[in-house]
């Protein structure tokens, strides 16, 4: 039998337990894991953003398909509307950047292959308080033109790596095939390769948007100079064309290239192309979009004022099988 005193104690304990339960329930609804999730910058939270990418890509360059895949993956994760436009002409590219400013985007990703052509329009982006990051080309000009960060490889260092690879495969006299005249990144690649190659190297300028012209120019050069035993192209599609040119010219020149696509892996494995210098374009697109999202949502800036390097990574027959699955799905 419970005495009045016992009943009173039980009532007090029950009331205290209910109060504690209510307090814990309040904590779990406004704090703890849920609170952490509501304030965390990760996982695509916050308002939907609109980010534009404006590059110097020419028609048919598969490199930029990989860049866009990375950018779109980050956009999907971060709840971002992704806009893409491109023009290899510096003035036209600047107009596309202006169009993005006029659309009041929340961030701009831009390539700086022809940095002087974009100087004025990027000043307008800064005046409109639109954050800008650069990718791929123009690392040296990026901070000067107001970009928060640059994502890409150091083109001079990458060129030096390519020169070393050409020397390694035994070439003594080489062509560096430049598919876009005036592109500072491409010029830096050839200059870097000349530093470390050890043999003689000359630049051959071609029109990258006209592949038949590329083929005829490389073929003619190989026919005219049988001493050329190495060809360095600066993009994967041009490497495949250089292989055709060598066959047509009856040349035994060995081919190396910058950049990757799924077809190139097969060519590396069968020996028709000796190596590729991979700057990981998927990573450039992904980090650029994600970096702008982080800046808008959490004030983060990657790189500490220096370029964020995505390469160079050297792909040869020795490691081609490891890269092949990623290249097949179009992300390397």
């Amino acid at each position: 039998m419970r005495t009045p005193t016992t009943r009173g104690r039980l009532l007090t304990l029950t009331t205290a337990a209910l109060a504690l339960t209510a307090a814990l329930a309040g904590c779990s609804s406004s704090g703890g894991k849920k609170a952490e999730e509501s304030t965390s910058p990760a996982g695509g939270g916050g308002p939907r953003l609109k980010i534009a990418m404006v590059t110097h890509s020419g028609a048919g360059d598969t490199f930029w398909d990989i860049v866009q895949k990375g950018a779109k993956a980050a956009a999907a994760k971060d709840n971002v509307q992704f806009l893409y436009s491109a023009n290899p002409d510096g003035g036209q590219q600047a107009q596309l950047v202006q169009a993005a400013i006029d659309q009041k985007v929340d961030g701009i990703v831009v390539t700086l292959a022809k940095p002087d052509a974009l100087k004025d329009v990027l000043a307008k982006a800064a005046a409109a308080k639109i954050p800008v990051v650069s990718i791929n080309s123009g690392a040296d000009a990026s901070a000067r033109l107001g970009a928060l960060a640059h994502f890409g490889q150091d083109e001079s260092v990458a060129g030096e790596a390519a020169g070393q690879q050409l020397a390694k495969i035994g070439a003594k006299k080489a062509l560096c095939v430049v598919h876009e005249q005036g592109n500072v990144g491409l010029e830096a690649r050839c200059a870097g390769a000349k530093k470390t190659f050890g043999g003689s190297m000359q630049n051959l300028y071609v029109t990258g948007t006209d592949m038949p012209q590329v083929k005829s120019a490389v073929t003619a050069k190989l026919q005219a100079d049988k001493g050329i035993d190495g060809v360095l192209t600066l993009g994967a599609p041009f490497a495949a064309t250089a292989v055709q040119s060598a066959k047509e010219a009856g040349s035994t020149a060995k081919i190396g290239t910058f950049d990757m696509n799924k077809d190139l892996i097969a060519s590396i494995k069968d020996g028709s192309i000796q190596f590729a210098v991979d700057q990981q374009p998927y990573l450039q697109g992904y980090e650029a979009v994600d970096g702008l999202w982080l800046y808008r949502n959490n004030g983060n800036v990657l790189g500490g004022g220096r370029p964020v390097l995505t390469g160079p990574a050297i792909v040869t027959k020795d490691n081609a099988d490891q890269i092949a699955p990623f290249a097949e799905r179009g992300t390397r």
Side-chain angles (χ1 to χ4, degrees), residues 115-261:
D116 290 343
L118 297 173
K119 179 180 178 181
D120 291 342
V121 76
L122 291 182
K124 292 179 181 179
K129 301 188 184 309
I130 299 174
V132 173
V133 299
S134 60
I135 62 169
N136 182 256
S137 298
D140 292 342
S142 179
R144 173 170 57 84
L145 296 184
L148 296 172
H150 178 84
F151 301 93
Q153 67 184 2
D154 183 310
E155 299 292 13
S156 296
V157 172
E160 290 173 12
Q164 290 168 349
Q165 289 297 312
L166 278 173
K168 190 174 180 179
I169 63 176
K172 303 296 183 184
K173 187 175 186 180
L175 288 179
C176 191
V177 183
V178 183
H179 59 267
E180 184 184 339
Q181 194 161 358
N183 182 320
V184 295
L186 301 185
E187 294 288 350
R189 290 179 181 182
C190 290
K194 287 176 184 177
K195 277 186 183 180
T196 58
F197 176 44
S200 66
M201 178 180 289
Q202 59 179 298
N203 291 2
L204 176 66
Y205 293 92
V206 297
T207 305
T209 54
D210 184 353
M211 200 61 81
Q213 187 275 334
V214 175
K215 182 181 176 183
S216 64
V218 176
T219 301
K221 192 69 177 176
L222 293 176
Q223 286 174 333
D225 189 346
K226 296 298 184 180
I228 295 171
D229 56 5
V231 178
L232 178 64
T233 62
L234 306 182
F238 310 106
T241 298
V243 171
Q244 296 172 6
S245 292
K247 288 179 180 177
E248 192 170 303
S251 170
T252 58
K254 294 180 179 179
I255 316 296
T257 191
F258 282 76
D259 303 331
M260 298 275 299
N261 60 30

Side-chain angles (χ1 to χ4, degrees), residues 67-81:
V67 173
Q68 287 188 72
K69 281 193 175 183
K72 289 174 181 177
K77 176 181 73 72
D78 292 337
N79 189 30
V80 165
Q81 180 184 356

